[in-house]
Amino acid sequence: MQNDIAQLRNEYKSRKLDREDLDSDPIQQFEKWLAEAIESKLKEPTAMTLATVDQKGYPSARIVLLKFVNRDGFAFFTNYDSRKGKELAQNKNVALVFYWGELERQVRVEGQIQKLEGEISERYFNSRPDKSRISAIISPQSEVIPDRNFLEKKVEEFLTQKREIKRPVNWGGYLVVPVRIEFWQGRENRLHDRFLYEKTSNNWKIVRLAP
């Protein structure tokens, strides 16, 4: 099995990335690549790995979904009392990774987290399907539970009580404000194209990195 895994490899030949291809603004460059991922009908083009660090310095990572991107950063929503929420409260330094395998592309983001305003979280929460909102209300995210029936009973109780489907105070949005954004394009023979944007006092510096 180990030998079989070691022999797995693909050659990346579909695209290239040159300095003149890049927008001077990494957010606009990201939006261009994201649009291409969506147009390519990838299954989860907005999926991103979010990496956080706990009090002991141990990293943890999970997939979350990007809900919007603007000139200030990358937004997602979650339970503030979840493991990631607690880690974000302790350490604001985070990293994101987008991987679009079919396009042989990766984007890495490093930055700091900040909570979104309640109005933004409220608006997004109310745009979700009822069942998704109920799940967010009843689920004690990241806590140990006895079995799946525990969750299903909580949903049933919620519906029986005809409670208002209202955003919980411990649920809302975060914005990752970037200081470094790297664009990676797979190339033949592992000579990949990598460009790093680094935030300066009032602009972005762009450099090419060795693969």
Side-chain angles (χ1 to χ4, degrees), residues 67 73 81 98 184 192 206:
K67 289 306 175 183
D81 295 332
F98 294 85
W184 178 97
H192 311 303
I206 307 174

Side-chain angles (χ1 to χ4, degrees), residues 50-82:
L50 167 68
T52 56
V53 180
D54 69 13
Q55 279 185 313
K56 295 182 179 180
Y58 286 101
S60 61
R62 75 289 288 159
I63 302 296
V64 297
L65 298 180
L66 177 72
K67 289 306 175 183
F68 69 80
V69 57
N70 60 27
R71 62 188 302 275
D72 297 316
F74 304 79
F76 65 95
F77 295 83
T78 191
N79 186 315
Y80 296 144
D81 295 332
S82 64

Side-chain angles (χ1 to χ4, degrees), residues 9 33 40 49 59 73 86-88 93 104 112 114 128 130 134 137 163 176 181 199 207:
R9 56 174 55 85
W33 272 23
S40 297
T49 300
K86 291 174 181 176
E87 291 176 353
L88 291 171
N93 296 317
E104 301 171 353
Q112 290 197 324
Q114 64 183 41
R128 303 175 81 199
D130 284 357
I134 292 170
I137 293 169
R163 291 165 53 190
V176 177
I181 304 180
K199 187 74 172 178
V207 295

Side-chain angles (χ1 to χ4, degrees), residues 21-36:
D21 298 327
L22 295 171
D23 195 285
S24 59
D25 185 325
I27 298 297
Q28 292 186 25
Q29 179 64 37
F30 175 83
E31 289 177 329
K32 175 183 174 183
W33 272 23
L34 177 61
E36 290 180 23

Side-chain angles (χ1 to χ4, degrees), residues 108-205:
R108 298 172 59 203
V109 179
E110 297 171 28
Q112 290 197 324
I113 204 78
Q114 64 183 41
K115 277 187 178 181
L116 291 171
E117 294 178 4
E119 181 184 340
I120 297 174
S121 295
E122 198 78 34
R123 187 161 59 245
Y124 173 68
F125 184 82
N126 291 333
S127 74
R128 303 175 81 199
D130 284 357
K131 290 183 179 179
S132 294
R133 289 190 287 162
I134 292 170
S135 293
I137 293 169
I138 63 92
S139 175
Q141 192 176 122
S142 299
E143 292 185 15
V144 176
I145 59 174
D147 49 35
R148 182 175 179 82
N149 188 51
F150 171 86
L151 296 174
E152 293 175 346
K153 283 184 67 176
K154 277 190 165 292
V155 171
E156 186 180 340
E157 288 169 5
F158 185 95
L159 294 172
T160 300
Q161 295 167 3
K162 297 182 179 180
R163 291 165 53 190
E164 182 182 2
I165 305 177
K166 184 179 179 182
R167 179 177 72 93
V169 295
N170 65 339
W171 191 98
Y174 291 99
L175 188 73
V176 177
V177 181
V179 294
R180 292 162 59 95
I181 304 180
E182 180 192 320
F183 293 85
W184 178 97
Q185 178 68 64
R187 296 294 302 276
E188 263 186 291
N189 304 315
R190 298 302 187 262
L191 291 178
H192 311 303
D193 292 324
R194 294 175 63 191
F195 286 95
L196 174 67
Y197 291 73
E198 287 191 287
K199 187 74 172 178
T200 62
S201 56
N202 55 8
N203 215 327
W204 290 92
K205 178 178 72 172

Side-chain angles (χ1 to χ4, degrees), residues 97-109:
V97 179
F98 294 85
Y99 180 64
W100 300 305
E102 293 86 345
L103 301 179
E104 301 171 353
R105 286 175 173 171
Q106 174 180 259
V107 179
R108 298 172 59 203
V109 179

